[in-house]
Amino acid sequence: MAEGYFRLRIRYAKTGRLALLSHLELTRALERLVRRSGLPSVVTQGFSAHMRHAPGPALPVGTCGLAELFDVWLTEYVPAPVARIALQEVAPPGLEVRDVSYVDPKARGLAATHVVETYVLVVALSSELRETVRAGVARLLETGELSVKRKNKLKTYDLKTAIIQAPEFMPVPGEPGLYEVTMTLRSGEQGSIRPEVLLRAAAEGGEGGEGSELDLRSITRLTLSEDAS
Amino acid sequence: MSDVSLWDRLEPLLPTVERPSRYIDHEYNARHVDFSSDCSTAPEPVYRAALLYPDTYEIGQANQAIAILYDAIWRLEDCVAERVFLPWIDLAQLMREQGIPLFSLESCSSVAGFDFLGITLSHELAATNVLEALDLAGIPLHADERKGLTPLIVGGGPVAYNPEPIAAFFDAFVIGEGEEVISELIAVHRRCIEEGLSRSELFVQLAHIPGVYVPSLYAPDETGALLPLGQGIPSRISKRIVGNLDSWPIITDVIVPYAEVSHDRLTVEVLRGCARGCRFCQAGMTGRPVRERRVDTIVSAVSEGLACTGFDEVSLTSLSTTDHSRIEELLRRLNGVLEGTSVGISLPSQRLDAFGIDMAHLVAGQRRAGLTFAPEAGTQRLRDSINKNVSDGDVLDAVTRAFEAGWRRCKLYFMLGLPSERDEDVLGIVELANRAYAAAKEAVADDQRSKVRMSVSVSVFVPKAQTPFQWEGQPTLEEIERRVTLLRSARLHKGIDLHWHDPAASRIEAALARAGRDGSTLIEAAFRSGATFDAWSERFDATAWERAAVLAGKDLAEMAERNFEVNEPLPWGHISAGLDARWLARERARALAGETTADCSFADCSACGVCDATGASNDLAGERRG
């Protein structure tokens, strides 16, 4: 990338129905949002000219995100508050531009730097199951690793690295049986462990295996940040 | 009237089905009564219209008819329009299991609760999907089983030029272009609701609107011709058109889909109609006269549309965009406007001559995805007969120019089974394709020759109503299969890929395209036999249609292969696309004699009759080149 470009980092929330977008659909929607905003985005030259951008780490279909990231390169400096308003004015419902800031154009990619993710899951648990899950989490932490089978491939996660903050359970006020489960995870070279996968494994007693079905009401990535360690 | 949102019942199902984003609405530019309430407590508007494209969201979302009518209805006072698409089979099954009816996108409410249900009918194979939609909506399939004034079920689009095989399922049809008539239709419907009229009284009122056909007010006489049942009901329903297309606003704030859809780009319609006069082409015959938008209008619509949507591609659509009299000026101006952006321009149809390639070259930039040419027939004799005024030389010049200009892939499109086709015409396809392939190889440098890709795509001729070939039957399935075998056994260069369309599906299309009212029993039986999404090759089930034919007492071969006498009443004889029947018959005779007819947008008038019938005429932005 040539010198003299500006890298604008957009922090946004995708909530509600937009949780059902795939990563590709969301990326295309963000590109279109940037084009509508009229911000002077950099167009790559080559066989297929396209906007120079870099989406943050993907979220699976069905997961909301409150602090997602998307980098776009601009040919001219536009004051961040002006850029933010330009984007906010043309954002579709459910996609809210929270803030924008400039970052070093040469900084490493978002997937490499923003590896710390905090999630909150809303899940219905009987008191018995809640205790099973709690005990399962403790056992998993003790074991220190978890093998997950996905698409016929077995992936083993080092939980000591992957779990920064173990799942905490908070009852949802006024909703008996519903819990907010918050956890902070770190993605590594083997990818990131999905919070619901961890919770399902815990519900099985932390023994691994296919994972049991849980009555999950929602999954939200609350924050996405750089690794301080 | 009910607009209770079904979203809370639908949402839990969505993570389990394919591509849930097609059901979520909330796209940029989708219109809602009151978004902040998330549609569940929106105030009830006075008149609610649902617009159904009878296929999935991916196929229908970019449909121009839906976009135009959506906009036109929202412009009316106290009216809202909402989109409806068919759920894919996985969700449809879940909806049936859980008793969730067909829903609109914007308010996610039951389609049966709307005042109006407009259905756009792009092709004959959508018929079973119409029944699937009504069935999922919980609406009785037959118009005569329905009660009350709402929802009023109205069809429109190309298939309405012979509405009879689906007439039993519709309350009314709009013949021709819908943007003007929709407001008249809704106004009459609203007044009838307010005045508390009966369903039959409503139908009579609707039948008085020019361009509106109410099938229940017509019955066949002893010759089979459909005649009006009451005083003042028109004996002939003539198509409606927008005379001054340039003055109709181009919709620029179009809905920006999340899901990947076909034609996922800004569409700007640059002209309507085509006077080239290809004798098999229903769109060309029924779309006359030619009406071009002015260059200024188009350029500002493109700029505004891109700003409103954020699309990175704009398609300049029409039946023959490079025929626009000021196409070169238009493309040069657009190139200027779009310079330095990542926005590409696409031309959906390539004119088959060097000029067409020059125009494609002008907008291609670095993109050379591939070009499609449609010689339609393999020999000059047959091309003259169908009035495809293109010579072998034109085809070879176009191919040469395209490959010289950097394209490396091209597709040639032909039809099999055209009237008067002989084996030499079938073999002519192979011969022309081989020559085109050689021309392409010749046009590129030695080190590029291995990159040359050519494919030949062959579909089966389907005779359509309102064309000079409306009287002609399709060849038998066995004969079509013999010609396919002949084509495959001929020496097509091994570098050329050959694809052909399933003749069994084309036969159903042909059977329905010229069927009369009794065709509805076949369609319903096919639907009951499990046929839906018939236009999807992986879903098309010929045996379901064969079973249906037995159940309905119909002979598919007889329906598709039937030759009508020129003087015989046609099932669509009461529907007029503005073409003089004598002109159509004359064109048929000229086809059989191998004589061509000139394009009246740059040569003499051939007296097709459409200008007299519509009160409009060719409206060009400049002088056309032949």
Side-chain angles (χ1 to χ4, degrees), chain B residues 599-621:
Chain B
D599 179 335
C600 66
S601 65
F602 57 81
D604 291 341
C605 168
S606 66
C608 72
V610 81
C611 294
D612 286 342
T614 58
S617 56
N618 288 341
D619 175 24
L620 305 181

PDB file of all heavy atoms in Angstrom, chain B residues 599-621:
ATOM      1  N   ASP B 599     -36.254  -3.130 -38.967  1.00  0.00           N
ATOM      2  CA  ASP B 599     -36.483  -2.538 -37.641  1.00  0.00           C
ATOM      3  C   ASP B 599     -36.970  -1.105 -37.856  1.00  0.00           C
ATOM      4  O   ASP B 599     -36.262  -0.283 -38.445  1.00  0.00           O
ATOM      5  CB  ASP B 599     -35.144  -2.578 -36.892  1.00  0.00           C
ATOM      6  CG  ASP B 599     -35.202  -1.971 -35.501  1.00  0.00           C
ATOM      7  OD1 ASP B 599     -36.079  -1.114 -35.242  1.00  0.00           O
ATOM      8  OD2 ASP B 599     -34.358  -2.356 -34.676  1.00  0.00           O
ATOM      9  N   CYS B 600     -38.176  -0.812 -37.355  1.00  0.00           N
ATOM     10  CA  CYS B 600     -38.768   0.496 -37.633  1.00  0.00           C
ATOM     11  C   CYS B 600     -38.135   1.612 -36.805  1.00  0.00           C
ATOM     12  O   CYS B 600     -38.485   2.775 -36.975  1.00  0.00           O
ATOM     13  CB  CYS B 600     -40.267   0.464 -37.399  1.00  0.00           C
ATOM     14  SG  CYS B 600     -40.689   0.204 -35.681  1.00  0.00           S
ATOM     15  N   SER B 601     -37.209   1.271 -35.890  1.00  0.00           N
ATOM     16  CA  SER B 601     -36.575   2.362 -35.135  1.00  0.00           C
ATOM     17  C   SER B 601     -35.474   3.032 -35.968  1.00  0.00           C
ATOM     18  O   SER B 601     -34.949   4.062 -35.579  1.00  0.00           O
ATOM     19  CB  SER B 601     -36.035   1.867 -33.787  1.00  0.00           C
ATOM     20  OG  SER B 601     -35.002   0.943 -33.955  1.00  0.00           O
ATOM     21  N   PHE B 602     -35.119   2.425 -37.100  1.00  0.00           N
ATOM     22  CA  PHE B 602     -34.196   3.115 -38.013  1.00  0.00           C
ATOM     23  C   PHE B 602     -34.555   2.900 -39.487  1.00  0.00           C
ATOM     24  O   PHE B 602     -33.955   3.490 -40.363  1.00  0.00           O
ATOM     25  CB  PHE B 602     -32.736   2.723 -37.754  1.00  0.00           C
ATOM     26  CG  PHE B 602     -32.457   1.247 -37.846  1.00  0.00           C
ATOM     27  CD1 PHE B 602     -32.261   0.634 -39.069  1.00  0.00           C
ATOM     28  CD2 PHE B 602     -32.391   0.483 -36.684  1.00  0.00           C
ATOM     29  CE1 PHE B 602     -32.012  -0.719 -39.149  1.00  0.00           C
ATOM     30  CE2 PHE B 602     -32.142  -0.882 -36.768  1.00  0.00           C
ATOM     31  CZ  PHE B 602     -31.951  -1.483 -37.986  1.00  0.00           C
ATOM     32  N   ALA B 603     -35.541   2.024 -39.762  1.00  0.00           N
ATOM     33  CA  ALA B 603     -35.961   1.824 -41.154  1.00  0.00           C
ATOM     34  C   ALA B 603     -37.477   1.997 -41.238  1.00  0.00           C
ATOM     35  O   ALA B 603     -38.092   2.520 -40.319  1.00  0.00           O
ATOM     36  CB  ALA B 603     -35.521   0.439 -41.621  1.00  0.00           C
ATOM     37  N   ASP B 604     -38.051   1.520 -42.352  1.00  0.00           N
ATOM     38  CA  ASP B 604     -39.476   1.778 -42.578  1.00  0.00           C
ATOM     39  C   ASP B 604     -40.377   1.052 -41.583  1.00  0.00           C
ATOM     40  O   ASP B 604     -40.046  -0.011 -41.071  1.00  0.00           O
ATOM     41  CB  ASP B 604     -39.845   1.324 -43.999  1.00  0.00           C
ATOM     42  CG  ASP B 604     -39.194   2.226 -45.036  1.00  0.00           C
ATOM     43  OD1 ASP B 604     -38.805   3.351 -44.665  1.00  0.00           O
ATOM     44  OD2 ASP B 604     -39.070   1.790 -46.202  1.00  0.00           O
ATOM     45  N   CYS B 605     -41.551   1.640 -41.408  1.00  0.00           N
ATOM     46  CA  CYS B 605     -42.606   1.042 -40.582  1.00  0.00           C
ATOM     47  C   CYS B 605     -43.137  -0.196 -41.294  1.00  0.00           C
ATOM     48  O   CYS B 605     -43.330  -0.185 -42.505  1.00  0.00           O
ATOM     49  CB  CYS B 605     -43.718   2.074 -40.401  1.00  0.00           C
ATOM     50  SG  CYS B 605     -45.239   1.413 -39.717  1.00  0.00           S
ATOM     51  N   SER B 606     -43.374  -1.277 -40.549  1.00  0.00           N
ATOM     52  CA  SER B 606     -43.939  -2.478 -41.173  1.00  0.00           C
ATOM     53  C   SER B 606     -45.413  -2.627 -40.819  1.00  0.00           C
ATOM     54  O   SER B 606     -45.997  -3.675 -41.057  1.00  0.00           O
ATOM     55  CB  SER B 606     -43.139  -3.711 -40.753  1.00  0.00           C
ATOM     56  OG  SER B 606     -43.306  -3.938 -39.377  1.00  0.00           O
ATOM     57  N   ALA B 607     -45.988  -1.619 -40.190  1.00  0.00           N
ATOM     58  CA  ALA B 607     -47.419  -1.591 -39.847  1.00  0.00           C
ATOM     59  C   ALA B 607     -47.814  -2.691 -38.873  1.00  0.00           C
ATOM     60  O   ALA B 607     -48.793  -3.404 -39.092  1.00  0.00           O
ATOM     61  CB  ALA B 607     -48.268  -1.651 -41.112  1.00  0.00           C
ATOM     62  N   CYS B 608     -47.052  -2.816 -37.780  1.00  0.00           N
ATOM     63  CA  CYS B 608     -47.404  -3.828 -36.776  1.00  0.00           C
ATOM     64  C   CYS B 608     -48.657  -3.419 -36.015  1.00  0.00           C
ATOM     65  O   CYS B 608     -49.307  -4.257 -35.397  1.00  0.00           O
ATOM     66  CB  CYS B 608     -46.244  -4.077 -35.812  1.00  0.00           C
ATOM     67  SG  CYS B 608     -45.930  -2.742 -34.642  1.00  0.00           S
ATOM     68  N   GLY B 609     -48.940  -2.120 -36.025  1.00  0.00           N
ATOM     69  CA  GLY B 609     -50.192  -1.670 -35.426  1.00  0.00           C
ATOM     70  C   GLY B 609     -50.087  -1.125 -34.018  1.00  0.00           C
ATOM     71  O   GLY B 609     -51.044  -0.591 -33.470  1.00  0.00           O
ATOM     72  N   VAL B 610     -48.905  -1.269 -33.403  1.00  0.00           N
ATOM     73  CA  VAL B 610     -48.823  -0.941 -31.973  1.00  0.00           C
ATOM     74  C   VAL B 610     -48.968   0.556 -31.714  1.00  0.00           C
ATOM     75  O   VAL B 610     -49.502   0.959 -30.678  1.00  0.00           O
ATOM     76  CB  VAL B 610     -47.534  -1.527 -31.343  1.00  0.00           C
ATOM     77  CG1 VAL B 610     -46.314  -0.661 -31.607  1.00  0.00           C
ATOM     78  CG2 VAL B 610     -47.719  -1.718 -29.844  1.00  0.00           C
ATOM     79  N   CYS B 611     -48.495   1.385 -32.641  1.00  0.00           N
ATOM     80  CA  CYS B 611     -48.593   2.835 -32.408  1.00  0.00           C
ATOM     81  C   CYS B 611     -50.059   3.273 -32.398  1.00  0.00           C
ATOM     82  O   CYS B 611     -50.480   4.049 -31.532  1.00  0.00           O
ATOM     83  CB  CYS B 611     -47.787   3.601 -33.454  1.00  0.00           C
ATOM     84  SG  CYS B 611     -46.015   3.287 -33.319  1.00  0.00           S
ATOM     85  N   ASP B 612     -50.851   2.727 -33.339  1.00  0.00           N
ATOM     86  CA  ASP B 612     -52.276   3.051 -33.362  1.00  0.00           C
ATOM     87  C   ASP B 612     -52.972   2.537 -32.103  1.00  0.00           C
ATOM     88  O   ASP B 612     -53.803   3.217 -31.510  1.00  0.00           O
ATOM     89  CB  ASP B 612     -52.953   2.411 -34.592  1.00  0.00           C
ATOM     90  CG  ASP B 612     -52.565   3.160 -35.872  1.00  0.00           C
ATOM     91  OD1 ASP B 612     -52.103   4.310 -35.747  1.00  0.00           O
ATOM     92  OD2 ASP B 612     -52.716   2.582 -36.964  1.00  0.00           O
ATOM     93  N   ALA B 613     -52.610   1.333 -31.721  1.00  0.00           N
ATOM     94  CA  ALA B 613     -53.308   0.709 -30.590  1.00  0.00           C
ATOM     95  C   ALA B 613     -52.997   1.398 -29.266  1.00  0.00           C
ATOM     96  O   ALA B 613     -53.844   1.454 -28.377  1.00  0.00           O
ATOM     97  CB  ALA B 613     -52.933  -0.771 -30.511  1.00  0.00           C
ATOM     98  N   THR B 614     -51.788   1.904 -29.123  1.00  0.00           N
ATOM     99  CA  THR B 614     -51.393   2.458 -27.827  1.00  0.00           C
ATOM    100  C   THR B 614     -51.408   3.980 -27.810  1.00  0.00           C
ATOM    101  O   THR B 614     -51.294   4.580 -26.740  1.00  0.00           O
ATOM    102  CB  THR B 614     -49.962   2.004 -27.448  1.00  0.00           C
ATOM    103  OG1 THR B 614     -49.065   2.429 -28.497  1.00  0.00           O
ATOM    104  CG2 THR B 614     -49.871   0.502 -27.299  1.00  0.00           C
ATOM    105  N   GLY B 615     -51.499   4.571 -28.973  1.00  0.00           N
ATOM    106  CA  GLY B 615     -51.434   6.031 -29.027  1.00  0.00           C
ATOM    107  C   GLY B 615     -50.030   6.551 -28.773  1.00  0.00           C
ATOM    108  O   GLY B 615     -49.830   7.751 -28.588  1.00  0.00           O
ATOM    109  N   ALA B 616     -49.071   5.658 -28.750  1.00  0.00           N
ATOM    110  CA  ALA B 616     -47.675   6.061 -28.551  1.00  0.00           C
ATOM    111  C   ALA B 616     -46.901   5.737 -29.818  1.00  0.00           C
ATOM    112  O   ALA B 616     -47.444   5.151 -30.755  1.00  0.00           O
ATOM    113  CB  ALA B 616     -47.082   5.322 -27.364  1.00  0.00           C
ATOM    114  N   SER B 617     -45.641   6.133 -29.854  1.00  0.00           N
ATOM    115  CA  SER B 617     -44.815   5.767 -31.001  1.00  0.00           C
ATOM    116  C   SER B 617     -43.367   5.682 -30.537  1.00  0.00           C
ATOM    117  O   SER B 617     -43.061   6.020 -29.390  1.00  0.00           O
ATOM    118  CB  SER B 617     -44.958   6.813 -32.109  1.00  0.00           C
ATOM    119  OG  SER B 617     -44.621   8.083 -31.584  1.00  0.00           O
ATOM    120  N   ASN B 618     -42.499   5.224 -31.424  1.00  0.00           N
ATOM    121  CA  ASN B 618     -41.080   5.162 -31.069  1.00  0.00           C
ATOM    122  C   ASN B 618     -40.647   6.533 -30.583  1.00  0.00           C
ATOM    123  O   ASN B 618     -40.895   7.540 -31.240  1.00  0.00           O
ATOM    124  CB  ASN B 618     -40.227   4.751 -32.273  1.00  0.00           C
ATOM    125  CG  ASN B 618     -40.407   3.281 -32.629  1.00  0.00           C
ATOM    126  OD1 ASN B 618     -40.878   2.493 -31.807  1.00  0.00           O
ATOM    127  ND2 ASN B 618     -40.030   2.913 -33.841  1.00  0.00           N
ATOM    128  N   ASP B 619     -40.007   6.574 -29.424  1.00  0.00           N
ATOM    129  CA  ASP B 619     -39.580   7.840 -28.852  1.00  0.00           C
ATOM    130  C   ASP B 619     -38.074   7.714 -28.611  1.00  0.00           C
ATOM    131  O   ASP B 619     -37.640   7.085 -27.639  1.00  0.00           O
ATOM    132  CB  ASP B 619     -40.335   8.084 -27.536  1.00  0.00           C
ATOM    133  CG  ASP B 619     -39.862   9.330 -26.830  1.00  0.00           C
ATOM    134  OD1 ASP B 619     -39.309  10.230 -27.505  1.00  0.00           O
ATOM    135  OD2 ASP B 619     -40.022   9.414 -25.598  1.00  0.00           O
ATOM    136  N   LEU B 620     -37.305   8.261 -29.545  1.00  0.00           N
ATOM    137  CA  LEU B 620     -35.859   8.043 -29.509  1.00  0.00           C
ATOM    138  C   LEU B 620     -35.135   9.291 -29.021  1.00  0.00           C
ATOM    139  O   LEU B 620     -35.604  10.412 -29.222  1.00  0.00           O
ATOM    140  CB  LEU B 620     -35.350   7.665 -30.903  1.00  0.00           C
ATOM    141  CG  LEU B 620     -36.051   6.460 -31.558  1.00  0.00           C
ATOM    142  CD1 LEU B 620     -35.436   6.175 -32.926  1.00  0.00           C
ATOM    143  CD2 LEU B 620     -35.962   5.225 -30.673  1.00  0.00           C
ATOM    144  N   ALA B 621     -33.974   9.070 -28.406  1.00  0.00           N
ATOM    145  CA  ALA B 621     -33.185  10.188 -27.892  1.00  0.00           C
ATOM    146  C   ALA B 621     -32.286  10.765 -28.979  1.00  0.00           C
ATOM    147  O   ALA B 621     -31.603  11.761 -28.762  1.00  0.00           O
ATOM    148  CB  ALA B 621     -32.349   9.713 -26.710  1.00  0.00           C
TER     149      ALA B 621
END
